[in-house]
Amino acid sequence: GRDGIDLAKKHLPIAITTDIMMPEMDGWSVIGALKNDPATASIPIVVVTITDNREMGIALGVSDYLAKQKAALDSIPADAVARLIERLRVAHREDRQVFVFGNGGSAANASHFATDLGKGASDKLGKRFRVLSLNDNVSWLTALGNDYSYADVFAHQLQNYGRPGDLALTLSVSGNSPNCVKAIEWANAHGLHTIALVGAKRGRLAEIARDVIVIADAHYGRAEDAQMTICHLLCYAFMER
């Protein structure tokens, strides 16, 4: 356990494997120590353990997932979230439009965020946030996808609504979703402030968005959960002020 941690700090390998059931220091303690050290936090860890007890095996798998989820949540930079809260505060004061969009699970998170900001946060403040999820209008999405391309479904909506000073927030674990990239490129070119929440692979969005938060995990489920946590932090800053 401790010797392995010291070796990881010394050599900084591209990946680490660990057992769980070890003497003196179990695998969870090793993972916690590695993930809480900035020097080793981003190194992928693979748990390799064998047991003939099926229930214990399932429980170990659950514990492994939860440990990695905690590490993903711990990678959220509080100062960067605070800056986004201030961006939203200014947008609310200046009556700017907030656009949010993503694909798949990220689309669900975008819809959830728009609901919390548009209802929960707005109810608390009195004055309403002008927020719109661009992945919710099925007929418009399919018309744009059919007549142009799926890469255009968000950028073309921004052409209808977006104005200089508005906010465009996208969620993408890969950071390379073509429709998100194209929308952020359009937003940058037309004076909108752009924000991207991405996974560990970063992708093109991390290069072009003006505010970027990177979750230190490329796993879609864990990264999406961490991104939704950020969305909740943004909304509850107003709901629980």
Side-chain angles (χ1 to χ4, degrees):
R2 177 54 59 186
D3 289 343
I5 293 172
D6 291 341
L7 286 170
K9 292 180 180 179
K10 179 180 179 180
H11 297 289
L12 298 178
I14 61 173
I16 296 170
T17 62
T18 182
D19 197 353
I20 294 300
M21 295 173 286
M22 300 186 294
E24 298 180 7
M25 189 176 190
D26 66 28
W28 305 128
S29 299
V30 171
I31 292 171
L34 292 169
K35 290 301 182 182
N36 287 321
D37 188 326
T40 55
S42 63
I43 301 175
I45 299 175
V46 179
V47 174
V48 181
T49 193
I50 298 175
T51 176
D52 57 3
N53 185 317
R54 180 176 175 80
E55 290 186 2
M56 180 181 290
I58 293 172
L60 288 171
V62 171
S63 296
D64 174 55
Y65 190 99
L66 291 174
K68 291 176 179 177
Q69 185 65 65
K70 181 180 183 300
L73 293 172
D74 287 343
S75 74
I76 297 173
D79 56 341
V81 175
R83 287 195 294 273
L84 295 189
I85 291 170
E86 185 56 30
R87 294 279 186 199
L88 287 171
R89 196 183 311 279
V90 172
H92 179 262
R93 184 178 66 241
E94 296 180 353
D95 200 33
R96 303 292 188 182
Q97 183 83 43
V98 179
F99 303 104
V100 58
F101 48 94
N103 297 281
S106 295
N109 283 349
S111 298
H112 190 156
F113 173 70
T115 299
D116 283 351
L117 194 69
K119 181 188 181 298
S122 296
D123 285 350
K124 184 68 174 180
L125 296 174
K127 179 184 176 183
R128 319 301 293 181
F129 272 101
R130 295 200 302 116
V131 57
L132 181 65
S133 171
L134 300 184
N135 44 249
D136 287 349
N137 190 324
V138 175
S139 61
W140 201 350
L141 283 172
T142 53
L144 292 170
N146 185 67
D147 294 350
Y148 300 102
S149 73
Y150 191 65
D152 291 309
V153 296
F154 300 138
H156 273 255
Q157 291 184 70
L158 288 178
Q159 291 175 24
N160 285 75
Y161 292 124
R163 295 180 178 179
D166 290 342
L167 301 187
L169 165 62
T170 190
L171 299 88
S172 172
V173 176
S174 71
N176 282 319
S177 300
N179 51 11
C180 296
V181 170
K182 196 164 187 176
I184 293 299
E185 289 175 338
W186 187 93
N188 281 337
H190 291 83
L192 283 73
H193 186 85
T194 54
I195 303 165
L197 308 184
V198 300
K201 293 181 179 179
R202 302 177 64 92
R204 175 65 175 157
L205 287 171
E207 299 174 356
I208 62 175
R210 292 174 183 167
D211 279 321
V212 179
I213 295 183
V214 180
I215 301 301
D217 199 322
H219 183 277
Y220 276 80
R222 290 190 291 269
E224 286 172 353
D225 283 349
Q227 289 174 349
M228 192 64 234
T229 296
I230 293 171
C231 290
H232 276 142
L233 288 168
L234 298 179
C235 293
Y236 276 88
F238 301 98
M239 293 163 68
E240 296 181 345
R241 63 178 185 146

